[in-house]
Amino acid sequence: MEILFYHPTFDVRDWAPLLQRHLPDARLRAWQPGDDEPAEYALVWHPPYEMLRGRTDLNAIFVLGAGVDSLLSRLDAHPDLLPAGVPLYRMEDTGMAAQMQEYAVSQVLHWFRRFDDYARLQQEACWQPLEEYRHADFTIGVLGAGVLGGQVAQRLSAWGFPVRCWSRSRKAYPGIASFAGAGELPEFLQGTRVLINLLPNTPDTVGIINASLLASLADDAFVMNLARGAHLVEADLLLAIERGNVKGAMLDVFHKEPLPSESPLWRHPRVRITPHVAAVTRPDEAAAFIAQSITRIARGDMPQNQVDVTRGY
C-alpha cells in the first residue's frame, strides 16, 4: 500500500513506523517535486498544489489536523487542487479533544477564581481579598458544537457552570442548552459571560466575533479563541476591552501566524497569548486513527469524518 506524505514540519521517518504498526503493508513516502508515482492514499498538511493535482488514483486524502480550511481556502485559486471524486477526511479527535478540554477548563477556572485580578493586585503589592464569582452568574457559551466544541462544553458543564452552545444545526448534549442558526445567535449571546470559539473556518464564520457580537455579551465578559484567527476581528476585541465590555481574552490563534511583534495584542495587559498550541496533532494517535479509517475504506465502510467541501467541514 503506497501512501504519500507531506507536512512542512513533521518528519516522514517518525510517522512511517507508527502507521506500519497498524498497517504492516503500508509504505509511507515523502512527496517530492516531480513525484508522480501511483499512490492509494495521501496524508497532508498545507500540501503544494502540484502534489494533489490530477491524482485520481487516490482512494482518499487525510488532512493531518482538525481544520481543513487551509486546504479548502485555496480552491478558488486552484479549483483542481483536489482531484475529482477523491474523498477528503479530517482528524476527528486523535487526542485533540482532551487537549482542548484541558486548555479551556484551566483558563475558565483562572478567570472564575479571579487569578487575573489577583495578579494585578500582586503587581501593586496590594493584599485585598475579592468578592467571589458565582457559578450561576458565569454562563459559558461555546461557539461551534462539533466533536471538539461538544466535548469542551460537556467538560465545563461537569464543573457546575451553566453551559450553552451554538452551531449550524441543533445538538443534544445532556444539560447543555443548544442554539442553532443565525436567528438564535442573539439569544445565545445574551447573558453569556465566557465565550469560547471552536467554530469551523468557513465563509459564513469569518469575522463573526466582531464589535456587534462582543457588545451582545454579558458585562465584564471573557473571550477565548481556540479555532482560527479569521473568526476574530482583533481591533474590535481591543476596543471592547478598552470600553470595559470585555474584561479579558485568551487567544491561541491569529490572523497572521506567527503573531507579528508589532501587534498590540502582545502588550495588552488583559490579553493572554499562546502560539497555536491549544490542541496539536499527536502522531501516535493520528496514525491509529488514519489506519482505522483506511481499513474501513478498504472494506467499503466509509468513515464519518469525511469533509463536505461545499460546507467547509
Side-chain angles (χ1 to χ4, degrees):
M1 180 189 300
E2 289 289 321
I3 303 177
L4 277 178
F5 182 93
Y6 182 88
H7 195 290
T9 58
F10 289 163
D11 192 327
V12 69
R13 291 171 295 184
D14 297 329
W15 280 71
L18 297 176
L19 200 61
Q20 288 169 343
R21 185 183 304 165
H22 305 280
L23 297 172
D25 64 338
R27 178 179 177 268
L28 199 64
R29 75 174 191 264
W31 180 84
Q32 301 291 339
D35 181 351
D36 57 1
E37 292 299 313
E40 295 172 66
Y41 298 94
L43 315 183
V44 303
W45 186 251
H46 295 289
Y49 167 61
E50 296 78 11
M51 176 185 179
L52 299 177
R53 179 187 57 184
R55 280 199 170 270
T56 55
D57 57 327
L58 293 173
N59 294 327
I61 299 167
F62 292 89
V63 177
L64 296 172
V68 294
D69 51 293
S70 64
L71 190 59
L72 299 185
S73 63
R74 297 161 60 194
L75 290 178
D76 286 342
H78 301 289
D80 58 342
L81 172 65
L82 294 177
V86 178
L88 178 68
Y89 294 94
R90 68 180 188 279
M91 300 290 98
E92 194 152 84
D93 186 344
T94 64
M96 291 185 183
Q99 295 176 70
M100 285 292 189
Q101 290 171 5
E102 293 164 355
Y103 192 110
V105 168
S106 64
Q107 185 57 40
V108 167
L109 293 178
H110 182 91
W111 286 326
F112 180 68
R113 292 302 306 269
R114 305 196 66 171
F115 292 149
D116 52 339
D117 292 322
Y118 284 120
R120 285 187 281 272
L121 290 174
Q122 179 180 344
Q123 293 176 348
E124 302 169 7
C126 178
W127 183 282
Q128 180 186 344
L130 300 172
E131 182 180 356
E132 292 182 347
Y133 290 145
R134 300 189 315 138
H135 283 79
D137 301 327
F138 221 71
T139 297
I140 298 169
V142 180
L143 284 172
V147 173
L148 299 180
Q151 294 199 42
V152 166
Q154 292 176 84
R155 180 57 63 90
L156 286 165
S157 178
W159 280 88
F161 295 106
V163 180
R164 56 182 62 165
C165 63
W166 179 86
S167 56
R168 177 173 176 166
S169 59
R170 199 173 310 283
K171 301 298 189 292
Y173 297 121
I176 297 172
S178 178
F179 298 82
E184 295 184 11
L185 183 58
E187 185 181 0
F188 163 83
L189 295 170
Q190 187 176 11
T192 292
R193 185 71 181 277
V194 178
L195 184 74
I196 301 176
N197 178 40
L198 281 164
L199 285 168
N201 184 16
T202 70
D204 292 335
T205 63
V206 170
I208 190 172
I209 307 176
N210 52 31
S212 175
L213 182 146
L214 294 169
S216 300
L217 298 171
D219 293 338
D220 287 334
F222 299 93
V223 174
M224 192 185 311
N225 191 12
L226 307 181
R228 287 291 183 267
H231 292 129
L232 173 66
V233 181
E234 294 170 358
D236 287 359
L237 173 65
L238 290 171
L239 186 58
I241 294 175
E242 292 305 314
R243 289 176 173 172
N245 176 221
V246 172
K247 186 176 180 182
M250 186 76 198
L251 308 178
D252 185 57
V253 289
F254 305 89
H255 278 272
K256 186 175 182 181
E257 297 181 1
L259 184 64
S261 59
E262 63 271 17
S263 170
L265 293 170
W266 280 116
R267 291 168 290 280
H268 200 289
R270 293 185 180 272
V271 176
R272 294 292 175 265
I273 288 171
T274 51
H276 206 145
V277 294
V280 299
T281 300
R282 290 175 172 167
D284 279 8
E285 293 164 275
F289 181 85
I290 291 168
Q292 182 184 54
S293 298
I294 287 176
T295 300
R296 294 183 64 182
I297 293 170
R299 65 171 183 248
D301 181 14
M302 306 308 287
Q304 296 181 350
N305 53 314
Q306 184 173 347
V307 175
D308 184 334
V309 175
T310 60
R311 294 172 62 178
Y313 58 93

